[in-house]
Amino acid sequence: MNRIVSTALLAGAMLWAAPAPAEVSNTGEIWVSWDANRVIALATEVGDTGTLIPGDNSEPPSVGIVTSGGLKYVIEPTACNQGTCYGFQLTAEFDGSVTAEQMNQFNLARSFTKAYVDEGNAYLTRYEISDYGIPKGNFAADMTNFEAVAVTFETFLSSGQINDTPDNK
């Protein structure tokens, strides 16, 4: 019984401490496929700046995001078929050298993102599937959550320590 109560209290504390997404209009609106212009408009709604990044050849454009805190990342369309895309990947690139063991430690602590090192740079990614659509509010929450984990990842790269507060998991 005590374990159930402790778990409930911990879950409540985590929700209370989680970063609150900005007010987003039409949160229940279902986005069935990728639309870079909608993503740019949503970035503005949550207080970020979005910029169109043209795609190669016939690929749809991506969106570069800059947060009010200066974090930069890209949202790219994925799972595309004849120009219609049903998934997206958020990717942030950082300077920093960490070992594979340290990167694995970070990945074990964060189930919704993947961190890796390639050619001396560290990357944080999050993949989202939206085969049957994704509510606009969920997309906004995905952005907000990715941004919180990215700030934690940046701290991890400089200190080697994982900050396990409820608002950055």
Side-chain angles (χ1 to χ4, degrees):
M1 179 69 170
N2 285 340
R3 187 174 197 180
I4 293 171
V5 171
S6 318
T7 303
L9 289 172
L10 178 61
M14 289 175 70
L15 287 174
W16 177 77
E23 286 296 317
V24 175
S25 64
N26 303 320
T27 56
E29 176 187 346
I30 302 296
W31 291 2
V32 178
S33 63
W34 175 259
D35 181 331
N37 291 319
R38 280 193 305 210
V39 174
I40 290 171
L42 180 58
T44 301
E45 275 192 76
V46 299
D48 296 339
T49 302
T51 306
L52 193 69
I53 301 170
D56 295 333
N57 302 321
S58 62
E59 292 178 10
S62 298
V63 175
I65 302 288
V66 179
T67 68
S68 60
L71 174 70
K72 296 178 183 178
Y73 66 98
V74 175
I75 305 176
E76 301 171 276
T78 61
C80 300
N81 184 8
Q82 298 179 3
T84 302
C85 303
Y86 300 101
F88 57 95
Q89 182 155 324
L90 299 87
T91 304
E93 180 180 355
F94 300 89
D95 293 328
S97 64
V98 293
T99 66
E101 183 178 311
Q102 288 171 310
M103 201 59 76
N104 287 340
Q105 178 188 8
F106 187 86
N107 283 330
L108 286 172
R110 303 288 179 274
S111 58
F112 294 108
T113 57
K114 178 175 71 174
Y116 65 95
V117 178
D118 188 28
E119 298 182 19
N121 290 320
Y123 296 88
L124 183 70
T125 65
R126 179 178 175 135
Y127 180 72
E128 297 289 337
I129 298 170
S130 61
D131 288 1
Y132 298 99
I134 184 169
K136 179 182 175 187
N138 281 31
F139 199 112
D142 290 337
M143 290 172 63
T144 302
N145 291 333
F146 180 78
E147 292 167 8
V149 173
V151 168
T152 300
F153 185 61
E154 193 166 33
T155 301
F156 168 73
L157 289 173
S158 64
S159 70
Q161 300 295 312
I162 297 174
N163 180 3
D164 278 330
T165 59
D167 62 339
N168 60 18
K169 285 188 174 183

